[in-house]
Amino acid sequence: MKLSTYNPSNIEEIKQLFTKTFSDSEGQSEGLLIGDLAYDLLTNTDGHDLYSFVASANDLIIGSIILSRLTFEGEVNAFILSPVAIHTSYQGKGIGQKLINFGLNTLKENEVELAFTYGDPIFYSKVGFSIIAEKVVKAPLKLTYPEGWLGQSLVSDEIKPIKGNSFCVEALNKPELW
Ligand SMILES: CC(C)(COP(=O)(O)OP(=O)(O)OC[C@H]1O[C@@H](n2cnc3c(N)ncnc32)[C@H](O)[C@@H]1OP(=O)(O)O)[C@@H](O)C(=O)NCCC(=O)NCCS
């Protein structure tokens, strides 16, 4: 298994991975939604506002994560991790955690201060995230599951409160994703 930064020539393969993985776990309409989200993020986001990493085995992509910039009213260098998928037949082998740690280390090397995500607190706590109250850091859109709003500092032990609103990139700026 190899971990690497994504190659733009693999965008279609990454889209298929998200579509298939989320169709398997959440049903076809969620699969199509997240496949389109991955494609939109990778094709319509400025390069300075985007990171994506893949896990591959035998030259096939078996996992992918996408991180995009979260902007605040003040100067904060922050990214949000979404979406994340490990191919159904490779789940539960530690690949998701390895790929996320690989991505977060790369962000750290690039002086990113904060990472956020929106998902299962049990899984994401294994890679350093914890629940954040919205009075500490506001999510960019209204959350259906406030307990899924998670974050971690990449430069210190805790996230200090951030005043004002946060803003995600255009591809994530859709109420049905939150
Ligand atoms: C969630 C997911 C990314 C985890 O990746 P993974 O490589 O399977 O996970 P790892 O092997 O690194 O870690 C195992 C832990 O992940 C969690 N986990 C595993 N499969 C999971 C699943 N289908 N849903 C939620 N959590 C899961 C469990 O907490 C597990 O811990 P345990 O072994 O102590 O029970 C992967 O299972 C996946 O792509 N699922 C479908 C799509 C999805 O839910 N994406 C994330 C949206 S928040």
Side-chain angles (χ1 to χ4, degrees):
M1 201 257 305
K2 186 179 142 210
L3 304 174
S4 58
T5 295
Y6 91 111
N7 183 328
S9 65
N10 296 131
I11 288 177
E12 197 56 47
E13 190 182 353
I14 293 170
K15 176 184 177 180
Q16 292 312 324
L17 170 78
F18 280 102
T19 307
K20 166 92 173 80
T21 304
F22 278 85
S23 295
D24 288 348
S25 69
E26 321 272 335
Q28 196 189 18
S29 67
E30 186 74 5
L32 293 172
L33 179 75
I34 305 299
D36 285 348
L37 166 64
Y39 187 83
D40 200 10
L41 276 166
L42 295 174
T43 54
N44 290 326
T45 308
D46 188 289
H48 291 105
D49 297 336
L50 184 77
Y51 289 91
S52 180
F53 303 93
V54 295
S56 24
N58 306 319
D59 278 341
L60 287 176
I61 293 176
I62 56 165
S64 176
I65 63 175
I66 302 177
L67 299 112
S68 57
R69 191 175 293 282
L70 196 66
T71 309
F72 291 87
E73 289 165 25
E75 289 272 307
V76 183
N77 193 352
F79 278 74
I80 178 160
L81 169 66
S82 177
V84 170
I86 302 300
H87 189 288
T88 313
S89 37
Y90 290 86
Q91 289 173 10
K93 301 175 191 294
I95 298 171
Q97 292 173 62
K98 286 196 183 113
L99 181 57
I100 292 169
N101 284 328
F102 179 80
L104 293 176
N105 280 332
T106 307
L107 265 64
K108 230 182 265 185
E109 287 163 15
N110 286 281
E111 283 154 20
V112 175
E113 298 161 273
L114 301 177
F116 295 90
T117 192
Y118 182 48
D120 178 359
I122 297 174
F123 173 65
Y124 286 108
S125 69
K126 293 173 193 279
V127 285
F129 288 93
S130 43
I131 296 177
I132 308 191
E134 279 214 81
K135 62 176 192 278
V136 177
V137 183
K138 268 199 180 166
L141 277 84
K142 187 170 168 25
L143 301 175
T144 312
Y145 305 103
E147 65 281 11
W149 180 232
L150 312 170
Q152 67 176 292
S153 172
L154 302 178
V155 292
S156 72
D157 293 342
E158 54 162 11
I159 296 187
K160 298 203 179 72
I162 301 177
K163 283 202 183 110
N165 294 311
S166 67
F167 306 90
C168 60
V169 301
E170 205 47 49
L172 281 177
N173 197 14
K174 297 188 175 133
E176 64 270 30
L177 297 170
W178 299 84

mmCIF file of all heavy atoms in Angstrom, residues 3-45:
data_model
loop_
_atom_site.group_PDB
_atom_site.id
_atom_site.type_symbol
_atom_site.label_atom_id
_atom_site.label_comp_id
_atom_site.label_asym_id
_atom_site.label_seq_id
_atom_site.Cartn_x
_atom_site.Cartn_y
_atom_site.Cartn_z
ATOM 1 N N LEU A 3 1.007 5.578 -0.014
ATOM 2 C CA LEU A 3 0.280 6.819 0.267
ATOM 3 C C LEU A 3 0.946 7.942 -0.513
ATOM 4 O O LEU A 3 2.173 8.043 -0.520
ATOM 5 C CB LEU A 3 0.335 7.145 1.763
ATOM 6 C CG LEU A 3 -0.177 6.049 2.711
ATOM 7 C CD1 LEU A 3 0.072 6.445 4.168
ATOM 8 C CD2 LEU A 3 -1.653 5.782 2.473
ATOM 9 N N SER A 4 0.169 8.787 -1.166
ATOM 10 C CA SER A 4 0.773 9.871 -1.953
ATOM 11 C C SER A 4 -0.209 11.015 -2.152
ATOM 12 O O SER A 4 -1.415 10.876 -1.909
ATOM 13 C CB SER A 4 1.225 9.343 -3.324
ATOM 14 O OG SER A 4 0.122 8.801 -4.007
ATOM 15 N N THR A 5 0.345 12.143 -2.632
ATOM 16 C CA THR A 5 -0.514 13.247 -3.060
ATOM 17 C C THR A 5 -1.216 12.807 -4.336
ATOM 18 O O THR A 5 -0.633 12.079 -5.139
ATOM 19 C CB THR A 5 0.357 14.495 -3.324
ATOM 20 O OG1 THR A 5 0.919 14.897 -2.082
ATOM 21 C CG2 THR A 5 -0.447 15.642 -3.884
ATOM 22 N N TYR A 6 -2.449 13.242 -4.533
ATOM 23 C CA TYR A 6 -3.192 12.796 -5.717
ATOM 24 C C TYR A 6 -2.570 13.390 -6.983
ATOM 25 O O TYR A 6 -1.917 14.431 -6.947
ATOM 26 C CB TYR A 6 -4.665 13.178 -5.601
ATOM 27 C CG TYR A 6 -5.024 14.528 -6.193
ATOM 28 C CD1 TYR A 6 -5.803 14.625 -7.349
ATOM 29 C CD2 TYR A 6 -4.580 15.702 -5.598
ATOM 30 C CE1 TYR A 6 -6.131 15.855 -7.888
ATOM 31 C CE2 TYR A 6 -4.905 16.937 -6.146
ATOM 32 C CZ TYR A 6 -5.673 17.004 -7.288
ATOM 33 O OH TYR A 6 -5.976 18.211 -7.839
ATOM 34 N N ASN A 7 -2.817 12.698 -8.069
ATOM 35 C CA ASN A 7 -2.371 13.178 -9.367
ATOM 36 C C ASN A 7 -3.629 13.606 -10.149
ATOM 37 O O ASN A 7 -4.576 12.829 -10.250
ATOM 38 C CB ASN A 7 -1.663 12.015 -10.083
ATOM 39 C CG ASN A 7 -1.099 12.431 -11.406
ATOM 40 O OD1 ASN A 7 -1.657 13.292 -12.086
ATOM 41 N ND2 ASN A 7 0.007 11.814 -11.775
ATOM 42 N N PRO A 8 -3.670 14.843 -10.690
ATOM 43 C CA PRO A 8 -4.884 15.290 -11.387
ATOM 44 C C PRO A 8 -5.343 14.344 -12.504
ATOM 45 O O PRO A 8 -6.527 14.327 -12.836
ATOM 46 C CB PRO A 8 -4.485 16.658 -11.944
ATOM 47 C CG PRO A 8 -3.417 17.139 -10.995
ATOM 48 C CD PRO A 8 -2.670 15.901 -10.572
ATOM 49 N N SER A 9 -4.450 13.512 -13.027
ATOM 50 C CA SER A 9 -4.889 12.587 -14.078
ATOM 51 C C SER A 9 -5.779 11.472 -13.498
ATOM 52 O O SER A 9 -6.382 10.700 -14.249
ATOM 53 C CB SER A 9 -3.685 11.981 -14.797
ATOM 54 O OG SER A 9 -2.962 11.187 -13.901
ATOM 55 N N ASN A 10 -5.850 11.382 -12.156
ATOM 56 C CA ASN A 10 -6.659 10.325 -11.524
ATOM 57 C C ASN A 10 -8.019 10.808 -11.016
ATOM 58 O O ASN A 10 -8.702 10.081 -10.277
ATOM 59 C CB ASN A 10 -5.905 9.714 -10.331
ATOM 60 C CG ASN A 10 -4.638 9.024 -10.746
ATOM 61 O OD1 ASN A 10 -3.585 9.247 -10.176
ATOM 62 N ND2 ASN A 10 -4.730 8.193 -11.788
ATOM 63 N N ILE A 11 -8.424 12.026 -11.394
ATOM 64 C CA ILE A 11 -9.661 12.584 -10.826
ATOM 65 C C ILE A 11 -10.872 11.681 -11.096
ATOM 66 O O ILE A 11 -11.707 11.446 -10.218
ATOM 67 C CB ILE A 11 -9.907 14.026 -11.347
ATOM 68 C CG1 ILE A 11 -8.895 14.970 -10.690
ATOM 69 C CG2 ILE A 11 -11.345 14.492 -11.056
ATOM 70 C CD1 ILE A 11 -8.957 16.410 -11.163
ATOM 71 N N GLU A 12 -10.970 11.143 -12.302
ATOM 72 C CA GLU A 12 -12.119 10.289 -12.637
ATOM 73 C C GLU A 12 -12.115 9.023 -11.765
ATOM 74 O O GLU A 12 -13.160 8.592 -11.267
ATOM 75 C CB GLU A 12 -12.066 9.945 -14.131
ATOM 76 C CG GLU A 12 -13.363 9.435 -14.702
ATOM 77 C CD GLU A 12 -14.563 10.376 -14.502
ATOM 78 O OE1 GLU A 12 -14.448 11.594 -14.759
ATOM 79 O OE2 GLU A 12 -15.619 9.864 -14.065
ATOM 80 N N GLU A 13 -10.928 8.434 -11.555
ATOM 81 C CA GLU A 13 -10.818 7.225 -10.713
ATOM 82 C C GLU A 13 -11.188 7.549 -9.258
ATOM 83 O O GLU A 13 -11.849 6.750 -8.572
ATOM 84 C CB GLU A 13 -9.389 6.665 -10.803
ATOM 85 C CG GLU A 13 -9.245 5.285 -10.169
ATOM 86 C CD GLU A 13 -7.815 4.739 -10.220
ATOM 87 O OE1 GLU A 13 -6.935 5.355 -10.848
ATOM 88 O OE2 GLU A 13 -7.602 3.690 -9.576
ATOM 89 N N ILE A 14 -10.801 8.731 -8.792
ATOM 90 C CA ILE A 14 -11.128 9.143 -7.419
ATOM 91 C C ILE A 14 -12.643 9.340 -7.289
ATOM 92 O O ILE A 14 -13.267 8.903 -6.322
ATOM 93 C CB ILE A 14 -10.345 10.425 -7.047
ATOM 94 C CG1 ILE A 14 -8.849 10.109 -6.973
ATOM 95 C CG2 ILE A 14 -10.845 11.008 -5.731
ATOM 96 C CD1 ILE A 14 -7.944 11.318 -6.847
ATOM 97 N N LYS A 15 -13.241 9.986 -8.294
ATOM 98 C CA LYS A 15 -14.701 10.164 -8.274
ATOM 99 C C LYS A 15 -15.404 8.800 -8.165
ATOM 100 O O LYS A 15 -16.337 8.616 -7.380
ATOM 101 C CB LYS A 15 -15.146 10.894 -9.550
ATOM 102 C CG LYS A 15 -16.646 11.050 -9.661
ATOM 103 C CD LYS A 15 -17.073 11.680 -10.966
ATOM 104 C CE LYS A 15 -18.596 11.745 -11.035
ATOM 105 N NZ LYS A 15 -19.084 12.334 -12.272
ATOM 106 N N GLN A 16 -14.938 7.840 -8.976
ATOM 107 C CA GLN A 16 -15.556 6.498 -8.959
ATOM 108 C C GLN A 16 -15.405 5.842 -7.598
ATOM 109 O O GLN A 16 -16.310 5.157 -7.115
ATOM 110 C CB GLN A 16 -14.930 5.591 -10.037
ATOM 111 C CG GLN A 16 -15.233 6.007 -11.482
ATOM 112 C CD GLN A 16 -16.712 6.285 -11.715
ATOM 113 O OE1 GLN A 16 -17.588 5.637 -11.160
ATOM 114 N NE2 GLN A 16 -17.001 7.312 -12.522
ATOM 115 N N LEU A 17 -14.240 6.028 -6.960
ATOM 116 C CA LEU A 17 -14.015 5.440 -5.630
ATOM 117 C C LEU A 17 -15.036 5.997 -4.628
ATOM 118 O O LEU A 17 -15.644 5.242 -3.859
ATOM 119 C CB LEU A 17 -12.591 5.745 -5.143
ATOM 120 C CG LEU A 17 -12.353 5.385 -3.672
ATOM 121 C CD1 LEU A 17 -12.140 3.893 -3.510
ATOM 122 C CD2 LEU A 17 -11.180 6.145 -3.083
ATOM 123 N N PHE A 18 -15.239 7.323 -4.640
ATOM 124 C CA PHE A 18 -16.206 7.920 -3.707
ATOM 125 C C PHE A 18 -17.631 7.447 -4.016
ATOM 126 O O PHE A 18 -18.401 7.122 -3.109
ATOM 127 C CB PHE A 18 -16.122 9.455 -3.735
ATOM 128 C CG PHE A 18 -14.970 9.989 -2.905
ATOM 129 C CD1 PHE A 18 -13.801 10.416 -3.499
ATOM 130 C CD2 PHE A 18 -15.078 10.039 -1.529
ATOM 131 C CE1 PHE A 18 -12.749 10.904 -2.726
ATOM 132 C CE2 PHE A 18 -14.031 10.519 -0.740
ATOM 133 C CZ PHE A 18 -12.861 10.948 -1.348
ATOM 134 N N THR A 19 -17.972 7.406 -5.309
ATOM 135 C CA THR A 19 -19.326 6.992 -5.687
ATOM 136 C C THR A 19 -19.595 5.567 -5.210
ATOM 137 O O THR A 19 -20.617 5.273 -4.577
ATOM 138 C CB THR A 19 -19.506 7.078 -7.216
ATOM 139 O OG1 THR A 19 -19.134 8.383 -7.650
ATOM 140 C CG2 THR A 19 -20.941 6.802 -7.627
ATOM 141 N N LYS A 20 -18.638 4.668 -5.481
ATOM 142 C CA LYS A 20 -18.810 3.244 -5.138
ATOM 143 C C LYS A 20 -18.837 3.043 -3.619
ATOM 144 O O LYS A 20 -19.706 2.355 -3.083
ATOM 145 C CB LYS A 20 -17.654 2.462 -5.787
ATOM 146 C CG LYS A 20 -17.438 1.053 -5.302
ATOM 147 C CD LYS A 20 -18.219 0.081 -6.162
ATOM 148 C CE LYS A 20 -17.915 -1.375 -5.831
ATOM 149 N NZ LYS A 20 -18.628 -1.857 -4.652
ATOM 150 N N THR A 21 -17.882 3.665 -2.906
ATOM 151 C CA THR A 21 -17.777 3.438 -1.461
ATOM 152 C C THR A 21 -19.028 3.934 -0.743
ATOM 153 O O THR A 21 -19.593 3.238 0.113
ATOM 154 C CB THR A 21 -16.531 4.154 -0.898
ATOM 155 O OG1 THR A 21 -15.383 3.710 -1.619
ATOM 156 C CG2 THR A 21 -16.341 3.856 0.579
ATOM 157 N N PHE A 22 -19.484 5.151 -1.084
ATOM 158 C CA PHE A 22 -20.664 5.692 -0.401
ATOM 159 C C PHE A 22 -21.958 5.034 -0.878
ATOM 160 O O PHE A 22 -22.925 4.956 -0.117
ATOM 161 C CB PHE A 22 -20.716 7.221 -0.533
ATOM 162 C CG PHE A 22 -19.830 7.912 0.480
ATOM 163 C CD1 PHE A 22 -18.488 8.110 0.219
ATOM 164 C CD2 PHE A 22 -20.336 8.320 1.704
ATOM 165 C CE1 PHE A 22 -17.667 8.731 1.158
ATOM 166 C CE2 PHE A 22 -19.531 8.933 2.650
ATOM 167 C CZ PHE A 22 -18.182 9.139 2.378
ATOM 168 N N SER A 23 -21.994 4.532 -2.123
ATOM 169 C CA SER A 23 -23.171 3.757 -2.556
ATOM 170 C C SER A 23 -23.255 2.486 -1.722
ATOM 171 O O SER A 23 -24.340 2.105 -1.260
ATOM 172 C CB SER A 23 -23.071 3.371 -4.037
ATOM 173 O OG SER A 23 -23.110 4.510 -4.841
ATOM 174 N N ASP A 24 -22.114 1.832 -1.497
ATOM 175 C CA ASP A 24 -22.097 0.595 -0.695
ATOM 176 C C ASP A 24 -22.552 0.860 0.739
ATOM 177 O O ASP A 24 -23.287 0.068 1.315
ATOM 178 C CB ASP A 24 -20.675 0.004 -0.635
ATOM 179 C CG ASP A 24 -20.241 -0.600 -1.967
ATOM 180 O OD1 ASP A 24 -21.093 -0.761 -2.855
ATOM 181 O OD2 ASP A 24 -19.033 -0.900 -2.112
ATOM 182 N N SER A 25 -22.092 1.979 1.329
ATOM 183 C CA SER A 25 -22.377 2.180 2.754
ATOM 184 C C SER A 25 -23.667 2.951 3.010
ATOM 185 O O SER A 25 -24.323 2.724 4.017
ATOM 186 C CB SER A 25 -21.198 2.851 3.466
ATOM 187 O OG SER A 25 -21.043 4.181 3.037
ATOM 188 N N GLU A 26 -24.040 3.871 2.112
ATOM 189 C CA GLU A 26 -25.188 4.751 2.417
ATOM 190 C C GLU A 26 -26.284 4.709 1.351
ATOM 191 O O GLU A 26 -27.260 5.448 1.472
ATOM 192 C CB GLU A 26 -24.744 6.214 2.533
ATOM 193 C CG GLU A 26 -23.415 6.441 3.221
ATOM 194 C CD GLU A 26 -23.561 6.591 4.729
ATOM 195 O OE1 GLU A 26 -24.654 6.975 5.158
ATOM 196 O OE2 GLU A 26 -22.596 6.288 5.437
ATOM 197 N N GLY A 27 -26.079 3.968 0.282
ATOM 198 C CA GLY A 27 -27.081 3.921 -0.786
ATOM 199 C C GLY A 27 -26.653 4.752 -1.990
ATOM 200 O O GLY A 27 -25.799 5.627 -1.892
ATOM 201 N N GLN A 28 -27.327 4.452 -3.118
ATOM 202 C CA GLN A 28 -26.860 5.003 -4.390
ATOM 203 C C GLN A 28 -26.924 6.530 -4.462
ATOM 204 O O GLN A 28 -26.023 7.172 -5.007
ATOM 205 C CB GLN A 28 -27.663 4.401 -5.539
ATOM 206 C CG GLN A 28 -26.992 4.630 -6.864
ATOM 207 C CD GLN A 28 -27.879 4.232 -8.034
ATOM 208 O OE1 GLN A 28 -29.095 4.092 -7.919
ATOM 209 N NE2 GLN A 28 -27.257 4.045 -9.187
ATOM 210 N N SER A 29 -27.995 7.140 -3.898
ATOM 211 C CA SER A 29 -28.107 8.591 -4.077
ATOM 212 C C SER A 29 -27.005 9.313 -3.301
ATOM 213 O O SER A 29 -26.436 10.301 -3.778
ATOM 214 C CB SER A 29 -29.503 9.093 -3.714
ATOM 215 O OG SER A 29 -29.724 8.940 -2.350
ATOM 216 N N GLU A 30 -26.657 8.795 -2.108
ATOM 217 C CA GLU A 30 -25.535 9.378 -1.353
ATOM 218 C C GLU A 30 -24.223 9.144 -2.128
ATOM 219 O O GLU A 30 -23.360 10.027 -2.183
ATOM 220 C CB GLU A 30 -25.466 8.727 0.040
ATOM 221 C CG GLU A 30 -24.439 9.339 0.967
ATOM 222 C CD GLU A 30 -24.822 10.702 1.541
ATOM 223 O OE1 GLU A 30 -25.963 11.166 1.294
ATOM 224 O OE2 GLU A 30 -23.971 11.306 2.223
ATOM 225 N N GLY A 31 -24.095 7.974 -2.749
ATOM 226 C CA GLY A 31 -22.899 7.677 -3.555
ATOM 227 C C GLY A 31 -22.714 8.693 -4.670
ATOM 228 O O GLY A 31 -21.624 9.229 -4.870
ATOM 229 N N LEU A 32 -23.813 8.977 -5.387
ATOM 230 C CA LEU A 32 -23.724 9.936 -6.500
ATOM 231 C C LEU A 32 -23.408 11.333 -5.973
ATOM 232 O O LEU A 32 -22.594 12.064 -6.547
ATOM 233 C CB LEU A 32 -25.033 9.937 -7.296
ATOM 234 C CG LEU A 32 -25.312 8.631 -8.048
ATOM 235 C CD1 LEU A 32 -26.724 8.646 -8.641
ATOM 236 C CD2 LEU A 32 -24.272 8.396 -9.153
ATOM 237 N N LEU A 33 -24.038 11.711 -4.844
ATOM 238 C CA LEU A 33 -23.813 13.036 -4.253
ATOM 239 C C LEU A 33 -22.328 13.216 -3.878
ATOM 240 O O LEU A 33 -21.717 14.245 -4.200
ATOM 241 C CB LEU A 33 -24.702 13.193 -3.006
ATOM 242 C CG LEU A 33 -24.578 14.509 -2.239
ATOM 243 C CD1 LEU A 33 -25.278 15.642 -3.002
ATOM 244 C CD2 LEU A 33 -25.190 14.399 -0.832
ATOM 245 N N ILE A 34 -21.760 12.210 -3.223
ATOM 246 C CA ILE A 34 -20.382 12.365 -2.740
ATOM 247 C C ILE A 34 -19.385 12.207 -3.900
ATOM 248 O O ILE A 34 -18.342 12.875 -3.924
ATOM 249 C CB ILE A 34 -20.079 11.371 -1.583
ATOM 250 C CG1 ILE A 34 -21.121 11.538 -0.453
ATOM 251 C CG2 ILE A 34 -18.665 11.576 -1.045
ATOM 252 C CD1 ILE A 34 -21.170 12.906 0.213
ATOM 253 N N GLY A 35 -19.704 11.357 -4.878
ATOM 254 C CA GLY A 35 -18.851 11.268 -6.083
ATOM 255 C C GLY A 35 -18.789 12.607 -6.802
ATOM 256 O O GLY A 35 -17.718 13.086 -7.186
ATOM 257 N N ASP A 36 -19.945 13.247 -6.944
ATOM 258 C CA ASP A 36 -19.988 14.574 -7.593
ATOM 259 C C ASP A 36 -19.264 15.621 -6.752
ATOM 260 O O ASP A 36 -18.580 16.496 -7.293
ATOM 261 C CB ASP A 36 -21.447 15.020 -7.797
ATOM 262 C CG ASP A 36 -22.114 14.271 -8.943
ATOM 263 O OD1 ASP A 36 -21.399 13.598 -9.715
ATOM 264 O OD2 ASP A 36 -23.356 14.341 -9.062
ATOM 265 N N LEU A 37 -19.418 15.516 -5.424
ATOM 266 C CA LEU A 37 -18.721 16.461 -4.544
ATOM 267 C C LEU A 37 -17.204 16.339 -4.739
ATOM 268 O O LEU A 37 -16.502 17.361 -4.877
ATOM 269 C CB LEU A 37 -19.082 16.177 -3.075
ATOM 270 C CG LEU A 37 -18.182 16.857 -2.039
ATOM 271 C CD1 LEU A 37 -18.309 18.374 -2.114
ATOM 272 C CD2 LEU A 37 -18.502 16.357 -0.627
ATOM 273 N N ALA A 38 -16.695 15.102 -4.748
ATOM 274 C CA ALA A 38 -15.254 14.898 -4.917
ATOM 275 C C ALA A 38 -14.792 15.497 -6.251
ATOM 276 O O ALA A 38 -13.790 16.222 -6.319
ATOM 277 C CB ALA A 38 -14.932 13.399 -4.851
ATOM 278 N N TYR A 39 -15.549 15.239 -7.316
ATOM 279 C CA TYR A 39 -15.187 15.749 -8.650
ATOM 280 C C TYR A 39 -15.188 17.281 -8.655
ATOM 281 O O TYR A 39 -14.266 17.924 -9.160
ATOM 282 C CB TYR A 39 -16.172 15.194 -9.685
ATOM 283 C CG TYR A 39 -15.777 15.532 -11.096
ATOM 284 C CD1 TYR A 39 -14.840 14.744 -11.776
ATOM 285 C CD2 TYR A 39 -16.311 16.644 -11.744
ATOM 286 C CE1 TYR A 39 -14.458 15.062 -13.066
ATOM 287 C CE2 TYR A 39 -15.927 16.962 -13.038
ATOM 288 C CZ TYR A 39 -15.003 16.165 -13.690
ATOM 289 O OH TYR A 39 -14.613 16.493 -14.972
ATOM 290 N N ASP A 40 -16.230 17.853 -8.064
ATOM 291 C CA ASP A 40 -16.379 19.310 -8.008
ATOM 292 C C ASP A 40 -15.207 19.932 -7.225
ATOM 293 O O ASP A 40 -14.588 20.917 -7.658
ATOM 294 C CB ASP A 40 -17.729 19.611 -7.331
ATOM 295 C CG ASP A 40 -18.239 21.010 -7.617
ATOM 296 O OD1 ASP A 40 -17.660 21.693 -8.481
ATOM 297 O OD2 ASP A 40 -19.222 21.417 -6.955
ATOM 298 N N LEU A 41 -14.900 19.347 -6.056
ATOM 299 C CA LEU A 41 -13.782 19.867 -5.260
ATOM 300 C C LEU A 41 -12.479 19.826 -6.058
ATOM 301 O O LEU A 41 -11.716 20.795 -6.072
ATOM 302 C CB LEU A 41 -13.609 19.018 -3.990
ATOM 303 C CG LEU A 41 -14.494 19.368 -2.792
ATOM 304 C CD1 LEU A 41 -14.460 18.243 -1.762
ATOM 305 C CD2 LEU A 41 -14.058 20.692 -2.151
ATOM 306 N N LEU A 42 -12.231 18.703 -6.723
ATOM 307 C CA LEU A 42 -10.937 18.517 -7.396
ATOM 308 C C LEU A 42 -10.827 19.312 -8.693
ATOM 309 O O LEU A 42 -9.721 19.604 -9.145
ATOM 310 C CB LEU A 42 -10.697 17.020 -7.675
ATOM 311 C CG LEU A 42 -10.549 16.147 -6.420
ATOM 312 C CD1 LEU A 42 -10.465 14.670 -6.805
ATOM 313 C CD2 LEU A 42 -9.326 16.541 -5.603
ATOM 314 N N THR A 43 -11.951 19.680 -9.299
ATOM 315 C CA THR A 43 -11.878 20.389 -10.582
ATOM 316 C C THR A 43 -12.171 21.884 -10.450
ATOM 317 O O THR A 43 -11.763 22.665 -11.301
ATOM 318 C CB THR A 43 -12.853 19.789 -11.625
ATOM 319 O OG1 THR A 43 -14.161 19.756 -11.057
ATOM 320 C CG2 THR A 43 -12.434 18.393 -12.029
ATOM 321 N N ASN A 44 -12.885 22.287 -9.390
ATOM 322 C CA ASN A 44 -13.312 23.695 -9.294
ATOM 323 C C ASN A 44 -12.738 24.450 -8.101
ATOM 324 O O ASN A 44 -13.262 25.484 -7.724
ATOM 325 C CB ASN A 44 -14.846 23.783 -9.226
ATOM 326 C CG ASN A 44 -15.478 23.399 -10.551
ATOM 327 O OD1 ASN A 44 -14.903 23.661 -11.604
ATOM 328 N ND2 ASN A 44 -16.627 22.769 -10.499
ATOM 329 N N THR A 45 -11.695 23.905 -7.469
ATOM 330 C CA THR A 45 -11.106 24.586 -6.309
ATOM 331 C C THR A 45 -9.706 25.061 -6.675
ATOM 332 O O THR A 45 -8.935 24.304 -7.278
ATOM 333 C CB THR A 45 -11.036 23.621 -5.093
ATOM 334 O OG1 THR A 45 -12.327 23.053 -4.884
ATOM 335 C CG2 THR A 45 -10.603 24.352 -3.830
#
